Amino acid sequence: MKEIIFAGFGGQGVLTGGLLIAELAARTQRNAVWMPAYGPTMRGGKANCVVKFGQTPEERIGSPVMEEADVLVAMNVPALDYLEYCRKDCTIFVNAHTVPADQQLPEQAVVVRLDCAELAQKAENPKGESLVMVGAIVRRLGWFDEDFARSAITDYFTGKGKGKYAAANVRAFDLGCQEVK
Amino acid sequence: MQMAKKIMMKGNVAAAEAAIRGGAEFFAGYPITPSTETLETLSFRMPEEGRVFIQAENEIASINMVLGAAACGARAFTTSSGPGMALKQEGFSYAARMELPYVVMNVQRWGVGLGMLDSGQVDYLRDTRAGGNGDYRHIVYAPDSVQELVDDLYEAFDVSQKYRMGVLILSEGYLGQMMEAVELPPFKEIRRPDWGLDGTGEVGLKQLCPTYNMALAHELLPVRQERINRVCREMQRWESVETEDADYVLVAFGLPARVCVDAVRRLREEGCKVGLIRPKLVFPFPYDAFHRVNPNVRGFISVETNDLGQMVQDVALAAKRELPQRNVPVYCYTHSAGVPRVQDVVRYYRSVLDGAVKEVY
């Protein structure tokens, strides 16, 4: 089972970013759970979701809430509060646009920094910050095939009637991939 | 056989789709967080399928519309949350008097009065007993995943008509709001019952419902009792995890039960003999599950997301009935709002072992 926390401000696409990862798992016939921050949090600007998925089609997901995440996506500084719910040796994907370079982070953690806002601009998709992050996650962690991810992202947005943004979304995804090599 | 496609769906949305596929012909409801997405989804999906959707002027009107549709033999459905469910109680009681089948989903929110937006299991006692006046019950499903929510709603209309009782789906805020990969079942053929008002005036309530005539109360008592007895016999459903040799058995339903599955796994890895009973229905309560646990069990621990402990009462009754020779202690971990984490359950278990907490019963 893998557990990922996506956190940031409302509008940075953290709920969508998490949902795309969950979609990739579901589309490969695995059990996946997406639990959004909900209630007062949703109404205050801070946003997060936790995604859990099995590594085989048989694996069931127990607890649906944050327990010991393998990955934290921190789109801003307050998002780092969720390190409380992460393994000590977790991987932290940090949005370098909002999190300063000298930000203290746990020693055992693997840190991947990328400027999502700048890359999203470069992709001519300023709202695509979370797609940049999804690209970085897919490339860096190797949990999903990249071509499959591209087609799933296109399919997902097309299914929501937002097919005209598909190319820009894939561009943002690709720049995220390239940024982490 | 081609594998059914798994798709990510929000609990409340999946519930709406499952109800339609299960044959819901009529919906009347009123929006309330955290249940509203079901109503929103039905507002366009019901007309798409040629079924009836009404956003009523309030909760009381919506349950009475459901009664009207049910009296005509339609498969009727409504949803709400804590405060809205409170308003519907009179309608439930009247439906019970007329033996009308219907399905209602309560997406529970935590708190009393207006409550809060947070998730919780605070309506257990009301919803497993008669919440309105008089002497009746709902059949109460307690799903722990979006897939089980789908499966329960898909079945609910058949069960409701089979026993001519209201069926209540006891969901909770987080289950309604979270998304999971689910497989949707095919559309059911809608079967109308061989009774129901038809607008001609030839069939009245007395023909519709033999027990409606309260003057016959004593003659009809066995009929009413036998119905509940049948439900209690035929609807025993639960999931057990390693209870055969367990020293301590956790009991939990809904999302906390999933946390308890992980807690059992973690404690077993540490050599602690812990098990879990997860009721899939909470009325009837799965007494049979308690009959099959380790006869030397040292305690039951009810895990609930409320403040005062509610299901613990049923756990205590089950322990008394199924292990009558032993006064097995029954503890209650009340987590309050939200969903506990595995470490919360583990910590409470240790405090039971240490004697730091006392049994409730």
Side-chain angles (χ1 to χ4, degrees), chain A residues 1 19 22-27 29-36 38-40 42-43 52 57 59-68 84-86 155-156 160, chain B residues 3-8 10 33-34 108-109 116-119 144 173-175 177-181 183 239 255 258-259 261-262 265-266 278 339-343:
Chain A
M1 205 267 295
L19 186 51
E23 279 280 339
L24 294 177
R27 286 165 187 247
Q29 295 303 318
R30 287 177 280 175
N31 291 309
V33 180
W34 173 87
M35 176 75 86
Y38 141 78
M42 184 174 156
R43 288 152 169 81
K52 297 183 172 191
E59 190 178 356
R60 286 169 68 178
I61 312 299
S63 164
V65 293
M66 292 179 193
E67 297 279 353
E68 291 185 304
E84 184 192 339
Y85 302 106
C86 296
D155 189 51
Y156 172 79
K160 287 205 163 298
Chain B
M3 234 171 133
K5 195 178 160 193
K6 272 193 173 145
I7 49 171
M8 293 296 292
K10 191 176 251 208
T33 303
Q108 295 172 92
R109 68 196 212 187
M116 273 179 40
L117 299 178
D118 216 337
S119 195
D144 76 338
Y174 282 171
L175 183 58
Q177 297 300 319
M178 70 190 230
M179 293 177 95
E180 270 191 294
E183 295 176 18
E239 180 182 20
L255 295 182
R258 293 172 62 152
V259 176
V261 171
D262 285 353
R265 190 179 305 135
R266 185 177 302 179
R278 174 175 81 83
V339 176
R341 297 174 65 206
V342 174
Q343 64 183 38

Side-chain angles (χ1 to χ4, degrees), chain B residues 226-300:
Chain B
E226 176 48 26
R227 185 206 318 268
I228 292 291
N229 291 343
R230 257 184 78 204
V231 168
C232 290
R233 279 196 310 273
E234 294 172 2
M235 298 292 286
Q236 292 283 311
R237 284 195 209 168
W238 74 91
E239 180 182 20
S240 288
V241 181
E242 307 208 49
T243 53
E244 299 80 2
D245 68 338
D247 291 331
Y248 287 89
V249 174
L250 307 174
V251 187
F253 69 97
L255 295 182
R258 293 172 62 152
V259 176
C260 289
V261 171
D262 285 353
V264 166
R265 190 179 305 135
R266 185 177 302 179
L267 287 165
R268 286 269 169 182
E269 282 167 10
E270 295 172 15
C272 304
K273 289 187 176 174
V274 178
L276 167 70
I277 291 171
R278 174 175 81 83
K280 290 185 169 185
L281 276 85
V282 285
F283 187 86
F285 197 73
Y287 284 108
D288 289 0
F290 290 74
H291 190 65
R292 300 171 198 209
V293 300
N294 174 8
N296 299 312
V297 63
R298 294 163 66 181
F300 292 102

Side-chain angles (χ1 to χ4, degrees), chain B residues 121-346:
Chain B
Q121 298 177 320
V122 294
D123 296 337
Y124 179 92
L125 281 174
R126 183 193 63 195
D127 287 355
T128 56
R129 274 61 179 171
N133 57 296
D135 199 13
Y136 68 98
R137 295 286 188 275
H138 281 103
I139 295 169
V140 185
Y141 288 81
D144 76 338
S145 66
V146 180
Q147 185 67 59
E148 193 166 299
L149 180 63
V150 164
D151 298 343
D152 289 351
L153 265 160
Y154 190 63
E155 180 186 81
F157 295 92
D158 289 337
V159 168
S160 173
Q161 289 202 331
K162 176 179 174 185
Y163 296 108
R164 284 190 66 170
M165 279 175 69
V167 168
L168 194 151
I169 310 289
L170 193 59
S171 180
E172 52 198 285
Y174 282 171
L175 183 58
Q177 297 300 319
M178 70 190 230
M179 293 177 95
E180 270 191 294
V182 293
E183 295 176 18
L184 292 173
F187 282 79
K188 259 183 205 172
E189 191 184 336
I190 298 172
R191 287 194 308 272
R192 280 289 179 90
D194 57 6
W195 51 264
L197 306 181
D198 58 4
T200 62
E202 288 172 15
V203 182
L205 280 171
K206 285 179 185 167
Q207 290 80 35
L208 183 70
C209 164
T211 63
Y212 186 78
N213 186 352
M214 289 284 167
L216 303 174
H218 290 289
E219 282 172 46
L220 294 168
L221 179 69
V223 179
R224 294 168 64 82
Q225 282 179 335
E226 176 48 26
R227 185 206 318 268
I228 292 291
N229 291 343
R230 257 184 78 204
V231 168
C232 290
R233 279 196 310 273
E234 294 172 2
M235 298 292 286
Q236 292 283 311
R237 284 195 209 168
W238 74 91
E239 180 182 20
S240 288
V241 181
E242 307 208 49
T243 53
E244 299 80 2
D245 68 338
D247 291 331
Y248 287 89
V249 174
L250 307 174
V251 187
F253 69 97
L255 295 182
R258 293 172 62 152
V259 176
C260 289
V261 171
D262 285 353
V264 166
R265 190 179 305 135
R266 185 177 302 179
L267 287 165
R268 286 269 169 182
E269 282 167 10
E270 295 172 15
C272 304
K273 289 187 176 174
V274 178
L276 167 70
I277 291 171
R278 174 175 81 83
K280 290 185 169 185
L281 276 85
V282 285
F283 187 86
F285 197 73
Y287 284 108
D288 289 0
F290 290 74
H291 190 65
R292 300 171 198 209
V293 300
N294 174 8
N296 299 312
V297 63
R298 294 163 66 181
F300 292 102
I301 304 172
S302 185
V303 177
E304 312 178 26
T305 53
N306 51 46
D307 292 355
L308 303 178
Q310 299 196 16
M311 183 177 67
V312 64
Q313 296 183 9
D314 281 333
V315 176
L317 290 172
K320 178 177 167 58
R321 192 175 103 164
E322 300 301 329
L323 298 154
Q325 308 307 321
R326 301 193 47 229
N327 186 19
V328 183
V330 177
Y331 302 84
C332 189
Y333 172 49
T334 50
H335 179 74
S336 195
V339 176
R341 297 174 65 206
V342 174
Q343 64 183 38
D344 296 325
V345 177
V346 169

Side-chain angles (χ1 to χ4, degrees), chain B residues 336-357:
Chain B
S336 195
V339 176
R341 297 174 65 206
V342 174
Q343 64 183 38
D344 296 325
V345 177
V346 169
R347 194 183 308 123
Y348 186 85
Y349 164 75
R350 294 201 197 293
S351 63
V352 168
L353 288 193
D354 295 347
V357 293

